[in-house]
Amino acid sequence: MTEKEQLAYDKEHIWHPYTSMVNPLHCYLVKSAKGVTIELNDGRKLIDGMSSWWSAIHGYNHPELNKAATNQLNKMSHVMFGGLTHEPAIELSKKLIEITPKSLQKIFFSDSGSVAVEVAMKMALQFWHSNGLKNKNKFATVSSGYHGDTWNAMSVCDPVTGMHSIFNDVLNIQFFAPSPKVCFNEKWDNSDFVEMKNLLEQNQSKIAAVILEPIVQGAGGMRFYNPQYLRLLKNLCNKLDILLIYDEIATGFGRTGKLFACEHSDTEPDIMCLGKALTGGYMSLAVTLTTNKVAETISNGNPAIFMHGPTFMGNPLACSIANKNIELLFSTNWEYNVKRIEKHFIETLFSLKSNHNIKDVRVLGAIGVVEMNKNVDVEKIQKQFVDEGIWVRPFGKLIYLMPPYIISDKELAFLTNALLKVLHLYNT
Ligand SMILES: Cc1ncc(COP(=O)(O)O)c(C=O)c1O
């Protein structure tokens, strides 16, 4: 098929994320990707500003990750996890238990972020079920959150910008507090926690867990909030017997400047979800970690087993790549790279603050966000970015950068120069 035919077939038959099948947004045909460069089929090369949605932290087509994949392929790509186990999963569990908060000691593998969230929510429900408290079966969260597109994950996504408007009648009704308002670097104000406090105190007997993204609310608004919120939340959850679930699927593995975003607050959850960057963007793999207490309570309940077990659980190929991905993270000085990117974003993107079309510019770790006053025309601005040689995918009012950590200074300058050039067009 020619490029034109492939794109026509794609447009006719293939659904892309959050698009219409009748009037889809334009898609670009990719030939290959290497390092931080995505090469289009027509030969154009784009510097990647997205890490394929938080995941490709070491860039594309990495020789070491490729080697880990081919080595494992020559042994086995998959075996069932029921009754069988293997070194890649054992090694990965050991690594994850070592680097995540100390209280997390048990691990459950699944195949995507949304499923890891479903698993976390089921763990919380089964925990209270095993304690004889079957009515503790609701979740509390904050507005502007995003936890995935499967059923229960969807029920704790932002009720306005999420999918509640379509599925409200059949979604589980959860408790929502306003999203935290005090920003990451702002002076803390206790009033920011009052509504969450009231909500938890008034509904304690019904709430199994609070679930939220620590520090960075990602797809729900790219907002960075104050770590004190999490400290107060952790204390209150402990006091009221409510479990705390941190969804670190986007923030995990260094993106915010700490290995896990919860470290900004020195708090530990009862359950934590990881995904995305876990395999460096190579394969879909996710995990849900929990404490001995949660795992043992479920396992002493009735039924005395945890009721979940996906076909591709603990996939050896994905686990081997994840192992190499974590090794690379530590051997390539991720902390230095994330700081370097953060400094560059502050030095360049903040110049946009005077642009009257721009509401806010914020930077945390290797995340740079430009919030416009109005929704952008995604197809139009995407074309302008591609014409300038960069890959950036905005949504709503948000244009954001989260490049692979290995991006060189020269590539980083190219990325932000191109972004500034396109955004300055909005000044006219
Ligand atoms: C915080 C968070 N949780 C869950 C998910 C869902 O992950 P997945 O798309 O792998 O199902 C995402 C995806 O963007 C996310 O950002």
Side-chain angles (χ1 to χ4, degrees), residues 54 112-115 117 146-149 213 219 247 249-250 276 284:
W54 313 82
S112 74
S114 305
V115 177
V117 168
Y146 179 77
H147 299 283
D149 297 341
E213 300 148 279
D247 177 349
I249 287 163
K276 290 190 183 276
S284 187

Side-chain angles (χ1 to χ4, degrees), residues 132-146:
L133 294 168
K134 291 184 193 164
N135 290 337
K136 244 169 129 56
N137 57 11
K138 296 280 171 212
F139 291 86
T141 186
V142 287
S143 299
S144 301
Y146 179 77

